[in-house]
Amino acid sequence: MLTIRTLNISNNQLCSLNHIENLVSLETLVADNNQLQGLPPGTEKLQMLKVLSIRNNQVADPRQLHCVKVVKVLRLQGNPLCDSQGWEGLVTKELTFLEQLNDLTISPELQLQGPENILLK
């Protein structure tokens, strides 16, 4: 099994990340500027993944991110999801370990109060 901790697959016009679940040591995944609509089944096996950057893709539904619950840093700029009102609360509700969203720090005390009160610093 491969021991890859950081993987940058940006700018490849990828539509899916099939077999990414085999990279169980992955800590940082950068897949910016592709055509991804979400993350494939099995991504929940990436228990070491702490940084996920999928900027400028086609992610429109926050439920497509539920499988990466251990991620601490998430970058989603340029996805259709970011055009929806209240999307930050939906994402932080699913990803309870999240500390940064789109390069902004999530206020931990407000995160405990619920997704409708999330403030980014």
Side-chain angles (χ1 to χ4, degrees), residues 99-113:
E99 296 173 1
Q100 284 187 13
L101 180 59
N102 288 353
D103 299 318
L104 299 172
T105 301
I106 295 173
S107 173
E109 60 277 355
L110 290 177
Q111 188 174 23
L112 294 174
Q113 295 177 19

Side-chain angles (χ1 to χ4, degrees), residues 56-109:
N56 301 311
N57 278 281
Q58 300 302 315
V59 178
D61 187 344
R63 293 175 293 190
Q64 292 296 322
L65 304 170
H66 78 279
C67 55
V68 290
K69 292 189 181 289
V70 296
V71 166
K72 292 185 177 198
V73 177
L74 179 61
R75 297 182 183 111
L76 290 170
Q77 296 98 321
N79 281 283
L81 171 64
C82 297
D83 296 332
S84 305
Q85 184 175 7
W87 71 272
E88 298 98 335
L90 296 173
V91 169
T92 55
K93 180 180 179 183
E94 289 291 326
L95 307 178
T96 56
F97 289 99
L98 206 57
E99 296 173 1
Q100 284 187 13
L101 180 59
N102 288 353
D103 299 318
L104 299 172
T105 301
I106 295 173
S107 173
E109 60 277 355

Side-chain angles (χ1 to χ4, degrees), residues 5 13 31-32 44-45 55 60 87 92 101 113 117 119:
R5 289 193 171 87
Q13 298 300 310
D32 299 336
E44 65 276 359
K45 295 178 184 176
R55 295 175 177 145
W87 71 272
T92 55
L101 180 59
Q113 295 177 19
N117 295 318
L119 288 183

Side-chain angles (χ1 to χ4, degrees), residues 7 9 11 14-15 22 27 38 46 48 52 66 72 84-87 91 94 99 105-106 121:
L7 180 62
I9 51 175
N11 304 306
L14 299 173
C15 294
N22 294 326
E27 296 173 5
L46 302 178
M48 303 295 290
L52 176 61
H66 78 279
K72 292 185 177 198
S84 305
Q85 184 175 7
W87 71 272
V91 169
E94 289 291 326
E99 296 173 1
T105 301
I106 295 173
K121 295 180 183 177

Side-chain angles (χ1 to χ4, degrees), residues 7-14 17 29-36 53-57:
L7 180 62
N8 187 332
I9 51 175
S10 298
N11 304 306
N12 283 296
Q13 298 300 310
L14 299 173
L17 297 175
L29 175 60
V30 181
D32 299 336
N33 305 307
N34 284 294
Q35 298 298 316
L36 302 172
S53 183
I54 49 175
R55 295 175 177 145
N56 301 311
N57 278 281

